[in-house]
Amino acid sequence: MGDFVSSTAFAVVLSISFGPIALMIIRQTIARGFVSALPGALGAAVADTIFAAVAFSGLQTIKMFWIAHEQILSWIGVAYLFFLGAIIFGKRISLTRLNKSAGFIPVFLLTLTNPLTIVTISSYALARGALFEGIEFYLSLAGFLVGSFVGQMVYVAGGSIIRTKLIDHSDFNMINRISGALLIGFAVWQGRSLLVT
């Protein structure tokens, strides 16, 4: 049971750090409500769990693929963030016509373009100094899924609180502009980091 608890705690900490995924989930919650953001939160949690499965099972070939293609995967993520930010920034539509830009697939794919996650999870596996086999492997993966989902739910809950405070949803265009600008900012920041390294 200790494997489940420690993996859950680590995954919560890992997923609770604010970034573009959190921003997308918060925006989705504000726009469409609590239930609408759940697929995106699950998408991020499943992607984190896949990274954990790779790290825990010691699949060096797959890990090396992610690490070897870190630059291209990171640039894909930057391009997607910039594109998404520009689209959201320019949206001038009502809440009833807002599409689910933070659904399962978009959030899942965006999370998978972050090779830093597998490095972080691999570091956790090494720090534990344990071989994840048998029931330990499955308990650790379950812990990652639960912990990552709980971490994402912090942002869903935050978005729900913000949504309840918004009496006049007519200024959703302003929320779009702020969200879009922040996503573009994340893309520029990540792109600049890639150029520096």
Side-chain angles (χ1 to χ4, degrees), residues 111-134:
T111 306
L112 282 184
T113 61
N114 185 8
L116 184 61
T117 305
I118 196 170
V119 174
T120 306
I121 294 172
S122 296
S123 300
Y124 165 76
L126 289 171
R128 285 286 311 277
L131 290 174
F132 293 93
E133 296 175 337

Side-chain angles (χ1 to χ4, degrees), residues 11-12 23 39 53 70 74 83 85 100 115 120 163 165 168 176 196:
V12 168
L23 181 62
E70 179 178 354
S74 297
F83 170 77
K100 294 185 179 181
T120 306
R163 181 182 168 90
K165 302 296 182 189
D168 181 11
N176 276 348
V196 169

Side-chain angles (χ1 to χ4, degrees), residues 21-89:
I21 298 297
L23 181 62
M24 289 172 65
I25 290 173
I26 289 171
R27 177 186 171 273
Q28 186 71 30
T29 310
I30 294 170
R32 298 292 295 261
F34 186 89
V35 174
S36 173
L38 295 181
L42 184 61
V46 169
D48 284 345
T49 306
I50 288 173
F51 278 132
V54 170
F56 293 165
S57 60
L59 298 175
Q60 290 298 326
T61 306
I62 298 175
K63 280 197 280 189
M64 293 313 295
F65 172 83
W66 259 300
I67 293 168
H69 295 85
E70 179 178 354
Q71 286 285 321
I72 187 71
L73 290 172
S74 297
W75 280 113
I76 289 170
V78 166
Y80 181 70
L81 275 180
F82 193 89
F83 170 77
L84 191 62
I87 293 296
I88 290 172
F89 187 88

